[in-house]
Amino acid sequence: MSDEILQAYSLMRSGNPAEAKALLNGALVYELENQEILFAIDCCNFWIDVVARSKTMDNAFERGENYCNEWKNFLRFLRREKKTFDRTLFAVKTGVFSLALACYNQLAGEKDPAQKAEVLRKTGLCYKKLGSYETARNCLAEANSVKPDTAAIIAEMADCYALCAEERQAKVLFREAFYVDPQKIDPAFLDSELIQCLIRNVQDKGFSGAALMEWIPVYGQLYGVFTVKRKLRPTEIARLKQEIYAKETEIKDPSCQAEFLTPRLINLYFWLIDHYVSANEDVSKINDIMTRIKILDTDIYELYVK
């Protein structure tokens, strides 16, 4: 690899796609058919306008959000590419999330609890993307202490544990996050193979968008990913039963969004069954819930009882 390309990658890692592109164009003169250089130039073209636009934003949080949001657009751009190169993607990711991290670090003194928790979450996300998993977990743990029971924070914590090969803790937290609120979790930022493999398997069943997020915890239970359980507190048991009652009432309405309610209710049933089993409740209670699952979705019932 030529010195120009190496320098270009260094510039990309430091968040300077415009300067990197100039060097890559120079290298391309001598290697017109080099697919890696052409791909790197395409990546630079994508990010040049993003970086320029971000620099015009006065608010540090908005700048950080712009980088993170554009990362999702970049992932869609990559899906259209015939061939990608790991070295190039590493350089791009390092540059983008270093820029985003610098923005969020400017907000370290945030006082508002909700905003502070979000800044800490995004700071942790950036560290995770940069490979600093321990630092990421510390940021996310602090975010969780500021704003507990937040699905997005818990999911990012789970992802960090999975990336650190602490699978048991990851499974506990992923299960928790998808129970709290699947719609608040952004799969574009989850990196561990543990969760990405599950997401791919559920996508293969034809689910996408909001429905995909609701079915992930259901198949997570069936496929042995969300199987590390914890004991529920009395207040949580009462809340779980109340939510089941509300969802059962809602799903009786012919105009309801059954594609979302069905998986959400099944997941709630799974949690209640787990509680009954751990509490050694009468088997008739478990059988009653199993019957409700069978009425909702025979295929899920058959998979569950296997």
Side-chain angles (χ1 to χ4, degrees), residues 1-14 19-20 23-24 27 31 34 36-37 40 87-88 91:
M1 185 175 289
S2 71
D3 288 343
E4 282 180 314
I5 298 174
L6 290 174
Q7 291 172 26
Y9 278 157
S10 178
L11 286 166
M12 290 167 73
R13 288 194 300 272
S14 61
E19 294 179 43
L23 286 175
L24 290 166
E31 300 183 66
N34 189 313
E36 184 174 354
I37 295 176
R87 283 182 297 196
T88 312

Side-chain angles (χ1 to χ4, degrees), residues 8 11-12 16-28 37 40-45 48:
L11 286 166
M12 290 167 73
N16 291 296
E19 294 179 43
K21 180 186 174 183
L23 286 175
L24 290 166
N25 281 334
L28 190 62
I37 295 176
I41 289 172
D42 285 344
C43 291
C44 287
N45 285 333
I48 285 170

